[in-house]
Amino acid sequence: MTAKLLLLGGTTEASQLARLLADQGADAVYSYAGRVASPKAQPLPTRVGGFGGVAGLVQYLREHSITHVVDATHPFAAQMSWNAYEACGQLGVALCALTRPAWQAVEGDRWQHVEDIQGAVASLQGVPKRVLLALGKLNLPAFVAQPQHHYVLRLVDTPDVAPPLPHHIVIVARGPFDLAGDRALMQSHDIDVVVCKNAGGIGAEAKLHAARELGLPVVMIDRPALPPRSEISSAEAVLQHLGL
Ligand SMILES: NC(=O)c1ccc[n+]([C@@H]2O[C@H](COP(=O)([O-])OP(=O)(O)OC[C@H]3O[C@@H](n4cnc5c(N)ncnc54)[C@H](OP(=O)(O)O)[C@@H]3O)[C@@H](O)[C@H]2O)c1
């Protein structure tokens, strides 16, 4: 049976793997959730939108005779990763994940670890500050509970609906970001604290270097629990794993 791959994407690493798969002439489909208005074009046939939970994914895998799923979603896309784990388990479809190690604090970092978004919100209790929220739009409403702050929101798209935060500014920008740009952003907005997820990888790492240089505290949201699966840390190694 020839391999037919489903690549669950939405990350820089997934785009790298898509390029390699296309170069190999692999029979593969790239899947986007559909969160971003104009997602990056991929060199593979692309589908957009949720599958409809585990049952929907099982149906998709069957209908498209998928033999392998590569989960290259963001480490915070835990729902998708668990769905893939369960659906592949039900059908005996091979599953592996393209993952990136979590960021680790180094000397000079002032990180406060929190478990989740609610923990990040709670950590902001207190006097008004200028907060860089480097989080997706879906996470913003939770911060209404701390309305005293001025929030600088860095988002991929201009929001359709104004974020529900009384004092905020939206900066539309798509990574990868660099140190000079992130340092300038923090300085020009007079940032007191940075809130972000422990995404890992290089595309969004510059803000941590900038915060360290400027001596700013970082509220670091730790990763959610992910399913047990083969984890591979480079796109090239995924090809090897797949025998391509
Ligand atoms: N979470 C983040 O911080 C973050 C950051 C950067 C990029 N992303 C990317 O954004 C997408 C959505 O992330 P999320 O955190 O909202 O995911 P999530 O909470 O784990 O997933 C929620 C639902 O969205 C659908 N979905 C997620 N990823 C999908 C994909 N690649 N293809 C098709 N459907 C997908 C699934 O819907 P059904 O149940 O209907 O199948 C899933 O159950 C992912 O592709 C992820 O890689 C996420």
Side-chain angles (χ1 to χ4, degrees):
M1 187 172 51
T2 52
K4 176 142 192 213
L5 270 75
L6 173 64
L7 171 56
L8 301 171
T11 57
T12 306
E13 290 74 10
S15 296
Q16 288 166 351
L17 179 57
R19 180 75 268 159
L20 293 181
L21 289 169
D23 290 347
Q24 294 290 325
D27 188 1
V29 176
Y30 189 104
S31 177
Y32 274 122
R35 301 275 189 274
V36 172
S38 53
K40 183 178 158 59
Q42 296 295 337
L44 292 173
T46 300
R47 66 166 300 286
V48 180
F51 298 94
V54 175
L57 182 56
V58 164
Q59 192 182 347
Y60 180 93
L61 297 176
R62 274 213 188 98
E63 278 176 9
H64 294 82
S65 308
I66 300 293
T67 58
H68 295 73
V69 174
V70 180
D71 180 355
T73 57
H74 190 272
F76 281 74
Q79 184 64 56
M80 186 70 253
S81 292
W82 280 101
N83 288 357
Y85 173 75
E86 283 175 31
C88 289
Q90 281 184 29
L91 296 178
V93 166
L95 170 68
C96 70
L98 174 55
T99 55
R100 45 204 192 185
W103 292 317
Q104 303 292 334
V106 299
E107 204 181 322
D109 281 329
R110 296 175 58 201
W111 292 7
Q112 176 185 355
H113 288 273
V114 294
E115 240 179 56
D116 51 21
I117 293 287
Q118 288 312 326
V121 172
S123 79
L124 293 179
Q125 216 147 16
V127 296
K129 288 188 177 158
R130 299 179 62 86
V131 183
L132 173 59
L133 278 192
L135 303 171
K137 63 181 174 189
L138 297 180
N139 300 127
L140 303 180
F143 290 86
V144 170
Q146 304 288 354
Q148 70 277 32
H149 302 302
H150 175 81
Y151 291 101
V152 175
L153 312 173
R154 178 157 71 185
L155 300 171
V156 178
D157 295 311
T158 308
D160 303 330
V161 181
L165 302 167
H167 318 288
H168 74 266
I169 180 170
V170 173
I171 294 173
V172 176
R174 192 177 291 209
F177 301 105
D178 61 26
L179 174 59
D182 278 3
R183 191 200 296 119
L185 173 78
M186 291 177 198
Q187 285 178 320
S188 61
H189 290 276
D190 213 5
I191 293 299
D192 298 310
V193 57
V194 177
V195 179
C196 67
K197 297 175 177 175
N198 196 333
I202 51 170
E205 197 182 22
K207 59 180 174 278
L208 303 177
H209 298 302
R212 187 184 312 132
E213 272 194 19
L214 299 171
L216 297 179
V218 173
V219 177
M220 181 61 76
I221 304 170
D222 289 331
R223 293 182 171 191
L226 292 167
R229 65 247 158 112
S230 299
E231 299 212 355
I232 301 171
S233 61
S234 78
E236 291 78 10
V238 171
L239 285 198
Q240 274 182 3
H241 176 85
L242 295 169
L244 294 172

